[in-house]
Amino acid sequence: GSLAATASMFGGLCTQVRGGVQASDAQMMPVRYIRDAKTAHPTGDPSFEVKQCMPAAVPEDEADPFLMCDEFGPTLSKGAHGNDSDQGFDVGWHPHHGMEILSYIVEGKGRHADSMGNRETFDSPGFQWLSVGSGIEHAEGGGTPAGERTHGFQMWLRMPVARMEDDPRYGTVEPADIPVAKFQRGQARVIAGSLGSIEGPAKFAVTVQILDVELEPGAEWAYSCPDEMDNVIFYAFKGRATINGGQTLRAQQVCRFDTSGPRTAALQAGARRLQGARPHWPANAGEDRVARALRVLVAGDVTRVLSEVPAGQLPAQAGVLGLPRHPQEAEVMGRRGRWHSGRRG
């Protein structure tokens, strides 16, 4: 299965991975809670739904600086559109201000256009990162050929207040350019932050770590939280796992840890799925009989951005559409819609 682990860009040596973990519960990083992701409709269109683990399951004050994490798909694409067209965007043109965005595609092809002139399509697993700063308008989707599956994530992060007026920065990362840490019967794609000596290619203004961890059925993995980090969140999007030899984490569930004591969590991927078990997501022929790997997104943070926001500049709730803070911003961005913002003012 796959686990998605997200952290507020883990800086430096923030994790260790190893197999064959043998430890008692007293030595393990305790689980605060495991909760189901909730169904949400972030665009307001009831036909476009996502599974949202932040802030729907993990509230904003506990996820800071993560504003939002939406899992979309897997769904079958109706067709691909070129980079020279404004047709076919699943999420049409809309503006952002004072935040960071990760669009991570695990199946299908990602497609992005923005007001800086960037227009690209990229393969999976790959991603597009955006450090919005002073403001940008963009559109996404419509890159996967007809009949193929699209599956991915969008994450929003709050920027440090001092960086909210920086010029926008952008990057697209193809599968071959995502560094991978290999370990016994598994691997971790390093999207942002550091894993040992490996540095992720997403360059946000806020310090976080985001990993895509994949384990074979029955495989074990240990995650060690560094002293300077105070928030660790796992989100499972395929398969299931046992945490610290006891609690079960299933697909579309999120786990938040207590980092005040022991700093290591043990994860064991579930065994081969029973023949005929019904998959949670759309299946290809014969998929029910295939051993399912575990995939988890892991997130942890070093920087607590929420505490930086001065009184009178309260941050917007994740998923809330905020208005531009200056009238000229709406004019510059063409007045195409309301603003997703990292703070209110």
Side-chain angles (χ1 to χ4, degrees):
S2 305
L3 291 181
T6 55
S8 307
M9 302 303 191
F10 303 115
L13 178 60
C14 57
T15 63
Q16 298 175 349
V17 288
R18 59 185 184 273
V21 179
Q22 299 289 329
S24 68
D25 289 346
Q27 298 172 311
M28 294 288 98
M29 182 164 54
V31 172
R32 288 184 182 271
Y33 53 74
I34 294 175
R35 295 174 179 169
D36 294 334
K38 306 298 183 183
T39 299
H41 303 90
T43 66
D45 181 353
S47 68
F48 180 70
E49 68 176 40
V50 301
K51 286 295 184 182
Q52 186 178 95
C53 63
M54 294 181 276
V58 181
E60 182 182 355
D61 60 344
E62 297 178 8
D64 180 48
F66 293 96
L67 290 166
M68 185 190 78
C69 180
D70 286 351
E71 178 187 7
F72 53 88
T75 55
L76 295 180
S77 172
K78 297 179 180 179
H81 299 264
N83 293 328
D84 58 348
S85 172
D86 270 355
Q87 301 299 311
F89 288 119
D90 297 321
V91 180
W93 288 92
H94 60 282
H96 293 278
H97 170 267
M99 61 192 301
E100 321 257 26
I101 301 172
L102 172 72
S103 298
Y104 180 41
I105 306 298
V106 296
E107 291 183 82
K109 291 181 178 290
R111 177 170 172 251
H112 167 90
D114 64 44
S115 54
M116 294 190 294
N118 299 302
R119 286 180 176 263
E120 295 187 76
T121 299
F122 55 93
D123 290 328
S124 61
F127 63 88
Q128 172 261 324
W129 62 270
L130 189 59
S131 189
V132 173
S134 59
I136 196 170
E137 191 174 9
H138 74 154
E140 300 172 281
T144 302
E148 296 183 16
R149 300 193 333 171
T150 299
H151 184 193
F153 295 85
Q154 182 155 112
M155 299 179 70
W156 294 359
L157 300 92
R158 183 180 286 106
M159 295 187 77
V161 171
R163 302 291 300 275
M164 284 187 173
E165 298 303 326
D166 286 2
D167 291 339
R169 296 179 296 112
Y170 162 91
T172 295
V173 181
E174 294 281 357
D177 298 321
I178 301 177
V180 177
K182 301 281 188 178
F183 46 91
Q184 186 177 13
R185 302 180 63 201
Q187 65 177 25
R189 294 181 180 90
V190 184
I191 297 169
S194 301
L195 181 62
S197 61
I198 299 176
E199 185 76 20
K203 304 301 181 185
F204 296 118
V206 65
T207 301
V208 294
Q209 179 198 50
I210 302 174
L211 310 174
D212 176 4
V213 179
E214 188 164 3
L215 300 178
E216 296 177 10
E220 297 176 333
W221 176 69
Y223 174 82
S224 295
C225 174
D227 292 341
E228 66 272 17
M229 204 172 83
D230 64 359
N231 205 11
V232 177
I233 298 168
F234 287 3
Y235 177 70
F237 64 96
K238 288 186 180 180
R240 66 177 182 178
T242 300
I243 298 176
N244 296 342
Q247 294 174 269
T248 299
L249 179 66
R250 295 179 173 85
Q252 285 69 56
Q253 287 188 325
V254 61
C255 172
R256 182 169 181 250
F257 291 90
D258 179 353
T259 59
S260 63
R263 313 281 287 180
T264 298
L267 190 69
Q268 183 175 28
R272 182 185 300 268
R273 187 147 51 111
L274 296 177
Q275 183 171 345
R278 182 176 178 83
H280 182 89
W281 51 91
N284 295 322
E287 186 176 14
D288 285 354
R289 295 180 292 278
V290 177
R292 180 63 59 188
L294 172 70
R295 281 183 82 173
V296 177
L297 286 178
V298 175
D301 76 81
V302 179
T303 305
R304 304 293 286 172
V305 180
L306 190 59
S307 62
E308 297 182 3
V309 181
Q313 295 181 342
L314 297 178
Q317 293 290 326
V320 171
L321 298 178
L323 296 173
R325 292 179 300 111
H326 306 295
Q328 64 267 31
E329 290 178 344
E331 181 178 351
V332 169
M333 300 304 286
R335 299 181 183 274
R336 287 191 174 177
R338 300 175 68 192
W339 285 63
H340 300 80
S341 180
R343 69 175 178 184
R344 290 193 184 121

